[in-house]
Amino acid sequence: MTVEEAINTLSQSDPIVKLLQQVKLGRMKPTDAGLRAVTEAWLGMYRKVLEAAEPDRGSLARIDPSPRLAVLVEAEVLPEDHPAVRDLRDLFNKRLAEANSAS
């Protein structure tokens, strides 16, 4: 999967763009079941994208999940210690280490 394909795939299911604004406006609570379901699906999609992404540093840096995860944690949509958050960060770091060792 190219980085452009990865970015397009992730942007289609990104809860930050569509739903986080609703939380900020008070129309939705961070604990809303719908928001949680969309966020969980997005985390799963992000995992698949990282697993299929090109193993080079530049491409991986463009799809680093850390900034998006930080926004979701800050908005209290996800806790910092959520298993999917930890797993996604661990997978990204693993893929980055693989890219570093390949170069």
Side-chain angles (χ1 to χ4, degrees):
M1 174 179 286
T2 67
V3 71
E4 288 78 18
E5 291 171 327
I7 290 170
N8 286 336
T9 298
L10 293 171
S11 66
Q12 290 175 11
S13 62
D14 190 344
I16 294 172
V17 174
K18 298 173 185 167
L19 299 175
L20 201 56
Q21 185 67 22
Q22 300 301 313
V23 173
K24 289 180 181 180
L25 294 172
R27 295 181 185 152
M28 215 179 216
K29 294 188 185 305
T31 57
D32 183 275
L35 178 58
R36 180 61 54 117
V38 169
T39 303
E40 295 285 343
W42 176 78
L43 290 169
M45 179 60 66
Y46 220 118
R47 180 173 189 71
K48 288 178 185 176
V49 165
L50 282 176
E51 289 170 344
E54 296 173 352
D56 71 82
R57 243 187 109 111
S59 294
L60 287 171
R62 291 185 59 198
I63 58 172
D64 181 354
S66 297
R68 290 275 200 249
L69 292 173
V71 168
L72 292 168
V73 168
E74 183 180 313
E76 298 179 354
V77 172
L78 291 170
E80 184 77 35
D81 63 346
H82 188 283
V85 170
R86 283 194 320 261
D87 290 347
L88 195 57
R89 285 185 175 140
D90 290 347
L91 177 59
F92 177 77
N93 289 330
K94 177 184 172 196
R95 294 302 315 269
L96 195 56
E98 291 169 357
N100 287 335
S101 67
S103 38

